Amino acid sequence: MSRRAPHRVLAALALVAGLLGGAPPATAATTTVTFLPSQDTYVSSSSPNTNFNATNSLVVGASPTRISYLQFTVTRLSDPVTSSRVRSPSPPPTARSRTDAPSGCSS
């Protein structure tokens, strides 16, 4: 056996160990970016011709039907978006608070 044989065996073992999963697979980095609404409004079936854009609240409900809309100006993104969430802080409970959101909706 030559003097270089043990080095070749060690090099071959290192290569095999690397090929068998010596290093963990690469994973994509997750980046969180927050965007605040640039505009908001809602519509109501009881007042179909009313512009609620100047109102200081968003309203949802089933009777009359009320739907809220938020618009976001999205910037600073270089990669495709894989998921998104709209988070809204819960208002403090009051005697007049009520939830008109349909089942399955959350804030």
Side-chain angles (χ1 to χ4, degrees), residues 17-88:
L19 292 174
L20 292 177
T27 58
T30 301
T31 303
T32 300
V33 182
T34 301
F35 298 101
L36 297 176
S38 54
Q39 294 187 52
D40 59 69
T41 191
Y42 72 93
V43 293
S44 175
S45 64
S46 65
S47 303
N49 296 317
T50 302
N51 181 348
F52 294 102
N53 197 35
T55 306
N56 290 333
S57 62
L58 294 176
V59 182
V60 294
S63 181
T65 301
R66 295 174 290 202
I67 304 170
S68 290
Y69 295 94
L70 296 171
Q71 179 179 7
F72 299 88
T73 302
V74 179
T75 59
R76 304 181 323 260
L77 299 180
S78 57
D79 295 326
V81 175
T82 57
S83 68
S84 65
R85 293 182 188 168
V86 175
R87 294 184 181 177
S88 173

